[in-house]
Amino acid sequence: MAQLRRTSMADQAADALLERLHAGEWQLGAKLPGETTLARQLGVGRTTVREAIRQLAGRGVLTSRQGAGVFVTALDVREDWGEVLDGADIAAVLEARIAIETEAAALAARRRTPVQLRAIRRALEGRVRHDLDIEQHVDADTTFHRAIVLAAGNPVLLELFDGFTPRLRQAMIDLLRMRAEFGSADDQQAHTGLADAIADHDPAAAGERSRIHLTGLLEELG
């Protein structure tokens, strides 16, 4: 692995970690290797790695959990519109999800490849683990929905979704805490139906199932 030689080592280390995220080395919710391992891989000191992680945490990409490690919370950085997203309430986040994901689901039903369908199915299975806490469930759920957006084959939709993920993640955690339950059989069935519509190349059904699911979440807010 190439080592870093430019002056601003913390900045370059942050860029290198972000490139590895973009390349798919770590999925949403994944735990990063320890500082010692990352420092050895990048050819820098642990202090530099720590500063790079701090930078990416400030940009909404990583989060440090006391006693647990550093985890991926987004697959791309927030740009200037991050301030707008940070101020959005849960209803606004859900409305944005409807706008992005309903169209993405319909496009995915038209364009998905066999490889992308397998990724959607794997992510669907990841939602049903019984040992997930709320944050882990939201990360697994977001991985499923991102796999659909990726299968839509529209880079603008994917960029919007990735930039939107940090605020989406927190909004969904807040919503599930209010509901006091998550991961029900009915919820999983709704997601299975969405995946099935995409598998069947049925854009109308895929878009409608996405809209029904997300509208249902919005209606819960009253």
Side-chain angles (χ1 to χ4, degrees):
M1 182 176 297
Q3 295 187 350
L4 307 173
R5 296 182 176 84
R6 288 192 280 180
T7 303
S8 182
M9 299 303 291
D11 289 346
Q12 297 307 313
D15 288 344
L17 292 175
L18 195 57
E19 286 178 7
R20 291 167 70 177
L21 277 171
H22 289 164
E25 184 168 344
W26 300 300
Q27 299 298 312
L28 192 67
K31 181 179 177 180
L32 265 61
E35 289 179 358
T36 300
T37 299
L38 290 174
R40 183 173 62 252
Q41 291 174 349
L42 298 175
V44 298
R46 291 179 60 187
T47 300
T48 299
V49 170
R50 195 173 301 122
E51 172 61 19
I53 290 172
R54 188 194 66 77
Q55 288 185 25
L56 293 178
R59 298 161 79 183
V61 176
L62 302 176
T63 187
S64 296
R65 298 178 189 168
Q66 186 68 32
V70 178
F71 296 83
V72 179
T73 53
L75 298 176
D76 204 352
V77 298
R78 292 178 293 187
E79 301 298 341
D80 292 342
W81 69 309
E83 293 184 7
V84 175
L85 293 177
D86 288 343
D89 60 20
I90 297 175
V93 170
L94 288 171
E95 288 170 353
R97 286 194 66 183
I98 292 169
I100 294 170
E101 295 183 42
T102 297
E103 181 61 21
L107 289 173
R110 294 188 182 98
R111 300 173 177 173
R112 60 85 179 162
T113 66
V115 171
Q116 289 169 335
L117 180 59
R118 287 195 292 272
I120 291 170
R121 294 291 195 193
R122 284 196 302 271
L124 180 66
E125 292 173 1
R127 298 183 76 260
V128 296
R129 284 176 45 196
H130 297 297
D131 60 338
L132 298 180
D133 60 23
I134 286 179
E135 290 189 356
Q136 291 170 328
H137 175 80
V138 169
D139 287 340
D141 180 69
T142 305
T143 297
F144 170 77
H145 289 285
R146 186 184 189 273
I148 292 174
V149 178
L150 181 62
N154 184 309
V156 176
L157 284 177
L158 183 61
E159 183 174 349
L160 286 171
F161 186 89
D162 282 346
F164 182 53
T165 294
R167 183 63 189 100
L168 180 158
R169 182 178 188 273
Q170 190 57 55
M172 296 310 299
I173 290 171
D174 293 342
L175 177 60
L176 293 185
R177 283 177 176 158
M178 288 190 292
R179 293 172 67 188
E181 69 88 21
F182 59 91
S184 68
D186 287 344
D187 178 67
Q188 185 65 11
Q189 184 56 46
H191 287 76
T192 299
L194 173 55
D196 288 345
I198 292 170
D200 293 339
H201 292 291
D202 190 338
E208 184 63 14
R209 288 177 183 180
S210 178
R211 181 179 297 278
I212 288 172
H213 166 62
L214 294 171
T215 301
L217 295 178
L218 183 60
E219 289 174 349
E220 288 183 18
L221 295 176

Short mmCIF file of all heavy atoms in Angstrom, two decimals, residues 92-131:
data_model
loop_
_atom_site.label_atom_id
_atom_site.label_comp_id
_atom_site.label_asym_id
_atom_site.label_seq_id
_atom_site.Cartn_x
_atom_site.Cartn_y
_atom_site.Cartn_z
N ALA A 92 -39.06 16.35 7.64
CA ALA A 92 -38.37 16.84 6.44
C ALA A 92 -37.43 15.79 5.88
O ALA A 92 -37.31 15.62 4.66
CB ALA A 92 -37.61 18.13 6.75
N VAL A 93 -36.77 15.07 6.75
CA VAL A 93 -35.87 14.00 6.31
C VAL A 93 -36.65 12.91 5.60
O VAL A 93 -36.25 12.42 4.53
CB VAL A 93 -35.09 13.42 7.51
CG1 VAL A 93 -34.34 12.15 7.10
CG2 VAL A 93 -34.11 14.45 8.06
N LEU A 94 -37.79 12.52 6.16
CA LEU A 94 -38.59 11.47 5.54
C LEU A 94 -39.16 11.91 4.19
O LEU A 94 -39.22 11.12 3.24
CB LEU A 94 -39.72 11.05 6.48
CG LEU A 94 -39.28 10.25 7.71
CD1 LEU A 94 -40.44 10.07 8.67
CD2 LEU A 94 -38.71 8.90 7.30
N GLU A 95 -39.56 13.17 4.11
CA GLU A 95 -40.06 13.68 2.82
C GLU A 95 -38.96 13.64 1.76
O GLU A 95 -39.22 13.29 0.60
CB GLU A 95 -40.57 15.11 3.00
CG GLU A 95 -41.88 15.19 3.78
CD GLU A 95 -42.28 16.60 4.16
OE1 GLU A 95 -41.47 17.53 3.92
OE2 GLU A 95 -43.39 16.77 4.68
N ALA A 96 -37.73 13.97 2.17
CA ALA A 96 -36.62 13.90 1.23
C ALA A 96 -36.33 12.45 0.83
O ALA A 96 -36.01 12.16 -0.33
CB ALA A 96 -35.38 14.54 1.84
N ARG A 97 -36.45 11.54 1.79
CA ARG A 97 -36.25 10.12 1.46
C ARG A 97 -37.28 9.66 0.42
O ARG A 97 -36.94 8.91 -0.50
CB ARG A 97 -36.38 9.26 2.72
CG ARG A 97 -35.21 9.33 3.68
CD ARG A 97 -35.29 8.20 4.69
NE ARG A 97 -35.12 6.90 4.05
CZ ARG A 97 -35.19 5.73 4.70
NH1 ARG A 97 -35.46 5.72 5.99
NH2 ARG A 97 -35.01 4.60 4.06
N ILE A 98 -38.52 10.09 0.59
CA ILE A 98 -39.56 9.71 -0.37
C ILE A 98 -39.18 10.20 -1.77
O ILE A 98 -39.27 9.46 -2.75
CB ILE A 98 -40.93 10.27 0.05
CG1 ILE A 98 -41.41 9.57 1.34
CG2 ILE A 98 -41.96 10.09 -1.06
CD1 ILE A 98 -42.62 10.23 1.99
N ALA A 99 -38.73 11.45 -1.85
CA ALA A 99 -38.38 12.02 -3.14
C ALA A 99 -37.22 11.28 -3.80
O ALA A 99 -37.25 11.00 -5.01
CB ALA A 99 -38.02 13.50 -2.98
N ILE A 100 -36.21 10.93 -3.03
CA ILE A 100 -35.03 10.28 -3.58
C ILE A 100 -35.26 8.80 -3.82
O ILE A 100 -35.00 8.26 -4.90
CB ILE A 100 -33.82 10.47 -2.64
CG1 ILE A 100 -33.41 11.96 -2.56
CG2 ILE A 100 -32.64 9.62 -3.09
CD1 ILE A 100 -32.40 12.26 -1.47
N GLU A 101 -35.78 8.11 -2.81
CA GLU A 101 -35.78 6.65 -2.85
C GLU A 101 -36.92 6.06 -3.67
O GLU A 101 -36.78 4.95 -4.21
CB GLU A 101 -35.82 6.11 -1.43
CG GLU A 101 -34.55 6.44 -0.65
CD GLU A 101 -34.56 5.84 0.75
OE1 GLU A 101 -34.97 4.67 0.89
OE2 GLU A 101 -34.15 6.55 1.69
N THR A 102 -38.04 6.76 -3.79
CA THR A 102 -39.12 6.23 -4.62
C THR A 102 -38.67 6.15 -6.08
O THR A 102 -38.86 5.13 -6.76
CB THR A 102 -40.37 7.10 -4.49
OG1 THR A 102 -40.83 7.05 -3.13
CG2 THR A 102 -41.49 6.60 -5.39
N GLU A 103 -38.08 7.21 -6.58
CA GLU A 103 -37.58 7.20 -7.96
C GLU A 103 -36.43 6.22 -8.12
O GLU A 103 -36.33 5.51 -9.13
CB GLU A 103 -37.14 8.60 -8.37
CG GLU A 103 -36.63 8.71 -9.80
CD GLU A 103 -37.67 8.34 -10.84
OE1 GLU A 103 -38.88 8.39 -10.52
OE2 GLU A 103 -37.28 8.00 -11.97
N ALA A 104 -35.55 6.17 -7.10
CA ALA A 104 -34.42 5.23 -7.17
C ALA A 104 -34.90 3.79 -7.24
O ALA A 104 -34.33 2.97 -7.98
CB ALA A 104 -33.50 5.43 -5.97
N ALA A 105 -35.94 3.46 -6.49
CA ALA A 105 -36.46 2.09 -6.51
C ALA A 105 -37.00 1.73 -7.89
O ALA A 105 -36.77 0.62 -8.40
CB ALA A 105 -37.55 1.93 -5.45
N ALA A 106 -37.73 2.65 -8.51
CA ALA A 106 -38.26 2.40 -9.85
C ALA A 106 -37.13 2.23 -10.86
O ALA A 106 -37.18 1.34 -11.72
CB ALA A 106 -39.19 3.55 -10.26
N LEU A 107 -36.11 3.08 -10.77
CA LEU A 107 -34.98 2.96 -11.68
C LEU A 107 -34.21 1.67 -11.45
O LEU A 107 -33.75 1.02 -12.40
CB LEU A 107 -34.04 4.16 -11.51
CG LEU A 107 -34.57 5.50 -12.02
CD1 LEU A 107 -33.60 6.62 -11.63
CD2 LEU A 107 -34.76 5.47 -13.53
N ALA A 108 -34.07 1.28 -10.18
CA ALA A 108 -33.36 0.04 -9.87
C ALA A 108 -34.08 -1.16 -10.47
O ALA A 108 -33.44 -2.11 -10.93
CB ALA A 108 -33.22 -0.12 -8.36
N ALA A 109 -35.41 -1.13 -10.46
CA ALA A 109 -36.17 -2.24 -11.05
C ALA A 109 -35.91 -2.34 -12.55
O ALA A 109 -35.95 -3.44 -13.12
CB ALA A 109 -37.66 -2.05 -10.78
N ARG A 110 -35.63 -1.22 -13.19
CA ARG A 110 -35.34 -1.23 -14.63
C ARG A 110 -33.89 -1.63 -14.92
O ARG A 110 -33.62 -2.31 -15.90
CB ARG A 110 -35.59 0.16 -15.23
CG ARG A 110 -37.03 0.63 -15.22
CD ARG A 110 -37.16 1.93 -16.02
NE ARG A 110 -38.52 2.44 -16.00
CZ ARG A 110 -38.94 3.39 -15.17
NH1 ARG A 110 -38.10 3.93 -14.30
NH2 ARG A 110 -40.20 3.80 -15.20
N ARG A 111 -32.98 -1.19 -14.07
CA ARG A 111 -31.57 -1.22 -14.43
C ARG A 111 -30.70 -2.19 -13.64
O ARG A 111 -29.55 -2.43 -14.02
CB ARG A 111 -30.98 0.18 -14.26
CG ARG A 111 -31.65 1.24 -15.11
CD ARG A 111 -31.13 2.62 -14.74
NE ARG A 111 -31.68 3.67 -15.59
CZ ARG A 111 -31.51 4.97 -15.39
NH1 ARG A 111 -30.77 5.38 -14.37
NH2 ARG A 111 -32.06 5.85 -16.21
N ARG A 112 -31.19 -2.74 -12.57
CA ARG A 112 -30.33 -3.51 -11.68
C ARG A 112 -29.69 -4.68 -12.43
O ARG A 112 -30.28 -5.30 -13.31
CB ARG A 112 -31.12 -3.99 -10.46
CG ARG A 112 -32.33 -4.90 -10.75
CD ARG A 112 -31.93 -6.34 -10.88
NE ARG A 112 -33.06 -7.22 -11.14
CZ ARG A 112 -32.89 -8.45 -11.63
NH1 ARG A 112 -31.69 -8.90 -11.93
NH2 ARG A 112 -33.95 -9.21 -11.84
N THR A 113 -28.46 -4.96 -12.05
CA THR A 113 -27.74 -6.11 -12.59
C THR A 113 -27.89 -7.29 -11.63
O THR A 113 -28.29 -7.10 -10.47
CB THR A 113 -26.26 -5.78 -12.77
OG1 THR A 113 -25.68 -5.60 -11.46
CG2 THR A 113 -26.06 -4.54 -13.61
N PRO A 114 -27.56 -8.49 -12.06
CA PRO A 114 -27.60 -9.63 -11.13
C PRO A 114 -26.70 -9.41 -9.91
O PRO A 114 -27.07 -9.79 -8.79
CB PRO A 114 -27.11 -10.80 -11.99
CG PRO A 114 -27.50 -10.42 -13.38
CD PRO A 114 -27.31 -8.94 -13.46
N VAL A 115 -25.54 -8.82 -10.12
CA VAL A 115 -24.63 -8.55 -9.00
C VAL A 115 -25.27 -7.57 -8.02
O VAL A 115 -25.20 -7.75 -6.79
CB VAL A 115 -23.28 -8.01 -9.51
CG1 VAL A 115 -22.42 -7.52 -8.35
CG2 VAL A 115 -22.55 -9.08 -10.30
N GLN A 116 -25.90 -6.53 -8.55
CA GLN A 116 -26.55 -5.54 -7.68
C GLN A 116 -27.73 -6.15 -6.95
O GLN A 116 -27.97 -5.83 -5.78
CB GLN A 116 -26.98 -4.33 -8.51
CG GLN A 116 -25.80 -3.49 -8.99
CD GLN A 116 -26.21 -2.46 -10.02
OE1 GLN A 116 -27.22 -2.63 -10.72
NE2 GLN A 116 -25.43 -1.40 -10.15
N LEU A 117 -28.47 -7.03 -7.60
CA LEU A 117 -29.60 -7.69 -6.94
C LEU A 117 -29.09 -8.56 -5.79
O LEU A 117 -29.70 -8.58 -4.71
CB LEU A 117 -30.39 -8.54 -7.93
CG LEU A 117 -31.60 -9.27 -7.33
CD1 LEU A 117 -32.59 -8.29 -6.72
CD2 LEU A 117 -32.27 -10.13 -8.40
N ARG A 118 -27.99 -9.24 -5.98
CA ARG A 118 -27.43 -10.05 -4.89
C ARG A 118 -27.01 -9.16 -3.72
O ARG A 118 -27.19 -9.53 -2.55
CB ARG A 118 -26.24 -10.86 -5.40
CG ARG A 118 -26.64 -12.03 -6.28
CD ARG A 118 -25.50 -13.02 -6.45
NE ARG A 118 -24.39 -12.47 -7.23
CZ ARG A 118 -24.31 -12.54 -8.54
NH1 ARG A 118 -25.27 -13.10 -9.25
NH2 ARG A 118 -23.26 -12.02 -9.18
N ALA A 119 -26.47 -7.98 -4.02
CA ALA A 119 -26.10 -7.05 -2.95
C ALA A 119 -27.33 -6.58 -2.19
O ALA A 119 -27.30 -6.45 -0.96
CB ALA A 119 -25.34 -5.86 -3.54
N ILE A 120 -28.42 -6.33 -2.90
CA ILE A 120 -29.68 -5.93 -2.25
C ILE A 120 -30.18 -7.05 -1.35
O ILE A 120 -30.60 -6.82 -0.20
CB ILE A 120 -30.73 -5.55 -3.30
CG1 ILE A 120 -30.33 -4.25 -4.01
CG2 ILE A 120 -32.11 -5.41 -2.67
CD1 ILE A 120 -31.17 -3.94 -5.23
N ARG A 121 -30.13 -8.29 -1.83
CA ARG A 121 -30.59 -9.43 -1.05
C ARG A 121 -29.72 -9.63 0.20
O ARG A 121 -30.23 -9.93 1.28
CB ARG A 121 -30.56 -10.70 -1.91
CG ARG A 121 -31.55 -10.72 -3.07
CD ARG A 121 -32.96 -10.81 -2.60
NE ARG A 121 -33.88 -11.18 -3.68
CZ ARG A 121 -35.20 -11.08 -3.60
NH1 ARG A 121 -35.76 -10.61 -2.51
NH2 ARG A 121 -35.96 -11.43 -4.63
N ARG A 122 -28.41 -9.48 0.05
CA ARG A 122 -27.51 -9.62 1.21
C ARG A 122 -27.81 -8.56 2.26
O ARG A 122 -27.85 -8.84 3.46
CB ARG A 122 -26.05 -9.52 0.77
CG ARG A 122 -25.50 -10.76 0.09
CD ARG A 122 -23.98 -10.73 0.05
NE ARG A 122 -23.48 -9.55 -0.64
CZ ARG A 122 -23.26 -9.48 -1.95
NH1 ARG A 122 -23.50 -10.54 -2.71
NH2 ARG A 122 -22.79 -8.38 -2.50
N ALA A 123 -28.02 -7.32 1.78
CA ALA A 123 -28.33 -6.24 2.71
C ALA A 123 -29.68 -6.48 3.39
O ALA A 123 -29.85 -6.16 4.57
CB ALA A 123 -28.33 -4.90 1.97
N LEU A 124 -30.63 -7.06 2.66
CA LEU A 124 -31.93 -7.40 3.24
C LEU A 124 -31.76 -8.40 4.37
O LEU A 124 -32.37 -8.25 5.44
CB LEU A 124 -32.84 -7.96 2.15
CG LEU A 124 -34.25 -8.38 2.58
CD1 LEU A 124 -35.06 -7.17 3.02
CD2 LEU A 124 -34.95 -9.10 1.41
N GLU A 125 -30.93 -9.39 4.16
CA GLU A 125 -30.68 -10.39 5.20
C GLU A 125 -30.01 -9.76 6.41
O GLU A 125 -30.24 -10.18 7.55
CB GLU A 125 -29.81 -11.52 4.64
CG GLU A 125 -30.50 -12.36 3.58
CD GLU A 125 -29.56 -13.35 2.92
OE1 GLU A 125 -28.37 -13.39 3.31
OE2 GLU A 125 -30.01 -14.07 2.01
N GLY A 126 -29.18 -8.74 6.18
CA GLY A 126 -28.49 -8.09 7.28
C GLY A 126 -29.41 -7.33 8.22
O GLY A 126 -29.01 -7.01 9.34
N ARG A 127 -30.63 -7.06 7.78
CA ARG A 127 -31.59 -6.33 8.62
C ARG A 127 -32.24 -7.21 9.68
O ARG A 127 -32.88 -6.70 10.60
CB ARG A 127 -32.71 -5.72 7.77
CG ARG A 127 -32.28 -4.71 6.74
CD ARG A 127 -33.47 -4.11 6.00
NE ARG A 127 -34.20 -3.14 6.80
CZ ARG A 127 -35.32 -3.38 7.46
NH1 ARG A 127 -35.87 -4.58 7.43
NH2 ARG A 127 -35.91 -2.43 8.16
N VAL A 128 -32.13 -8.54 9.56
CA VAL A 128 -32.92 -9.42 10.42
C VAL A 128 -32.13 -10.04 11.57
O VAL A 128 -32.65 -10.88 12.28
CB VAL A 128 -33.58 -10.56 9.60
CG1 VAL A 128 -34.56 -9.98 8.61
CG2 VAL A 128 -32.53 -11.41 8.88
N ARG A 129 -30.89 -9.62 11.74
CA ARG A 129 -30.14 -10.13 12.89
C ARG A 129 -30.80 -9.69 14.18
O ARG A 129 -31.16 -8.52 14.36
CB ARG A 129 -28.70 -9.61 12.85
CG ARG A 129 -27.82 -10.30 11.83
CD ARG A 129 -26.45 -9.67 11.79
NE ARG A 129 -25.91 -9.44 13.13
CZ ARG A 129 -24.88 -8.63 13.38
NH1 ARG A 129 -24.31 -7.96 12.40
NH2 ARG A 129 -24.43 -8.48 14.61
N HIS A 130 -30.96 -10.60 15.11
CA HIS A 130 -31.68 -10.30 16.35
C HIS A 130 -30.81 -9.59 17.40
O HIS A 130 -31.33 -9.14 18.42
CB HIS A 130 -32.25 -11.59 16.94
CG HIS A 130 -33.26 -12.25 16.06
ND1 HIS A 130 -34.46 -11.68 15.71
CD2 HIS A 130 -33.23 -13.46 15.42
CE1 HIS A 130 -35.14 -12.48 14.91
NE2 HIS A 130 -34.41 -13.57 14.72
N ASP A 131 -29.49 -9.53 17.16
CA ASP A 131 -28.61 -8.92 18.15
C ASP A 131 -28.31 -7.46 17.85
O ASP A 131 -27.48 -6.84 18.49
CB ASP A 131 -27.29 -9.69 18.23
CG ASP A 131 -26.55 -9.73 16.89
OD1 ASP A 131 -27.20 -9.54 15.85
OD2 ASP A 131 -25.32 -9.94 16.91
#
